[in-house]
Amino acid sequence: MAMNDSVNILNSAYLAVEYIDSFLPDNPLQQPFKNAWNYMLDNYTKFQIATWGSLLVHEVSYFLLCVPGFIFQFIPYMQKYKIQQDKPETWEKQWKCFKTLLFNHFFIQLPLICGTYYFTEYFNIPYGWEEMPRWYILVAQCFGCAVIEDAWHYFLHRLLHHKRIYKYIHKVHHEFVSPFGMQAEYAHPLETLILGAGFFIGIVVFCNHVVLLWAWVICRLMETIDVHSGYDVPLNPLHLVPFYAGARFHDFHHMNFIGNYASTFTWWDRLFGTDSQFIAYQEKEKKKQCITKK
């Protein structure tokens, strides 16, 4: 009975969104995107699309999303939004981070990406334009992937902080007490595999078109680069996502090496009380601000 009720609710929600979508104006980018997608299908093999297309989406998205945070360090006005203002970025740290990223991307992640084609073939994942899910389905699938990845990340990340194994693996990621966007994937190769596995679980559950792979890559990179940016910028559209953790939440984790273990949302830390020190810290900061205003 409960299962039937859930299905009915989901069907009703789907019909409601579909009805609202029918009143929205046509997306002017849809036709150019359709033309580009069909051109890709006509000129490249599925293996090339799944492998080199996925690599291209990852690399371009990653470094483009890092650009705003990189530029902020040169803008005096933006420094008031930097969370740890006493720890500015240095060229030495950024160059070290960049070199490690290139190694992880091409020697750890690329071999995994090479398996994308075989995954799509095994599960008969379509590539065609006609089979592509509507935008609201894609958004819902990406949110579902984020919920699954967040749960995986919380428990495995917390495990990596165990005193017996922390110094061997996760300590690498914590070399930077004050994080910056490019540092999001700066990690020990084993950590890249362990925590990165959570990314693929949602794909296995939800994937009904290759476009979800790329959409989820972009969404995940957008989130992890934002929380590692070191800047709590107002009017951040990601703050509209329910229970979104944000940069200040994760920055506290890098400052204190404990608590706030989740990647995207706050509910696991709230449930297990691993955000208690962060909450206490926020209350102290509010009191300081009130005293300063007086």
Side-chain angles (χ1 to χ4, degrees):
M1 182 66 70
M3 179 65 73
N4 289 334
D5 290 342
S6 298
V7 171
N8 290 333
I9 291 171
L10 289 174
N11 286 336
S12 299
Y14 175 81
L15 291 173
V17 174
E18 196 172 45
Y19 178 74
I20 294 171
D21 182 58
S22 66
F23 289 97
L24 296 177
D26 292 337
N27 184 354
L29 299 178
Q30 181 172 339
Q31 191 59 45
F33 181 64
K34 178 180 180 180
N35 294 338
W37 189 270
N38 287 328
Y39 177 85
M40 177 185 71
L41 294 177
D42 292 338
N43 290 274
Y44 299 96
T45 65
K46 286 186 175 181
F47 178 83
Q48 291 172 326
I49 294 169
T51 305
W52 306 119
S54 298
L55 178 66
L56 187 64
V57 167
H58 181 272
E59 295 306 302
V60 171
S61 299
Y62 190 91
F63 289 106
L64 278 181
L65 290 167
C66 287
V67 168
F70 180 78
I71 294 175
F72 288 166
Q73 65 184 308
F74 304 110
I75 304 175
Y77 176 80
M78 296 303 299
Q79 296 315 301
K80 66 180 180 179
Y81 300 121
K82 184 168 172 58
I83 300 167
Q84 298 186 55
Q85 297 185 9
D86 59 331
K87 297 182 178 67
E89 297 90 346
T90 66
W91 286 109
E92 181 183 2
K93 289 180 179 179
Q94 290 176 93
W95 176 241
K96 180 181 180 182
C97 177
F98 181 71
K99 290 188 293 184
T100 301
L101 280 178
L102 290 182
F103 176 83
N104 284 348
H105 285 183
F106 290 97
F107 291 95
I108 306 298
Q109 295 181 11
L110 179 56
L112 296 176
I113 291 173
C114 286
T116 303
Y117 166 75
Y118 301 100
F119 166 80
T120 60
E121 286 295 292
Y122 183 81
F123 289 101
N124 295 316
I125 305 299
Y127 288 63
W129 175 264
E130 298 302 325
E131 297 89 351
M132 191 178 294
R134 300 296 298 273
W135 65 269
Y136 45 86
I137 298 296
L138 207 55
V139 169
Q141 289 173 327
C142 285
F143 185 79
C145 287
V147 170
I148 293 172
E149 190 282 332
D150 185 69
W152 176 273
H153 192 100
Y154 176 84
F155 292 104
L156 272 295
H157 183 194
R158 190 172 178 180
L159 178 64
L160 289 176
H161 271 271
H162 192 281
K163 60 183 180 180
R164 291 188 177 181
I165 59 176
Y166 171 78
K167 65 180 179 180
Y168 299 110
I169 302 175
H170 193 53
K171 186 178 180 180
V172 174
H173 184 68
H174 277 281
E175 284 183 25
F176 304 107
V177 177
S178 178
F180 47 92
M182 191 168 59
Q183 189 244 336
E185 291 187 343
Y186 179 89
H188 189 284
L190 278 178
E191 178 174 342
T192 300
L193 294 173
I194 294 169
L195 295 185
F199 172 89
F200 297 100
I201 299 174
I203 292 297
V204 173
V205 174
F206 295 108
C207 195
N208 58 352
H209 195 281
V210 72
V211 75
L212 176 63
L213 290 166
W214 296 353
W216 172 222
V217 164
I218 295 170
C219 288
R220 178 68 180 112
L221 290 180
M222 191 183 304
E223 176 276 324
T224 190
I225 290 169
D226 177 61
V227 301
H228 284 91
S229 67
Y231 290 85
D232 188 14
V233 180
L235 303 178
N236 184 338
L238 289 175
H239 291 167
L240 297 174
V241 178
F243 302 101
Y244 181 66
R248 196 169 290 276
F249 186 86
H250 192 70
D251 210 278
F252 182 84
H253 175 79
H254 276 264
M255 279 193 285
N256 298 276
F257 306 98
I258 192 170
N260 296 8
Y261 296 110
S263 60
T264 306
F265 305 107
T266 57
W267 50 59
W268 288 111
D269 285 287
R270 289 183 182 180
L271 179 63
F272 290 102
T274 46
D275 64 345
S276 58
Q277 292 187 29
F278 176 65
I279 293 172
Y281 171 77
Q282 283 185 311
E283 291 176 352
K284 287 181 181 179
E285 289 297 306
K286 288 179 181 178
K287 288 179 181 178
K288 285 181 183 179
Q289 290 176 2
C290 290
I291 293 171
T292 303
K293 289 179 181 179
K294 290 179 181 179

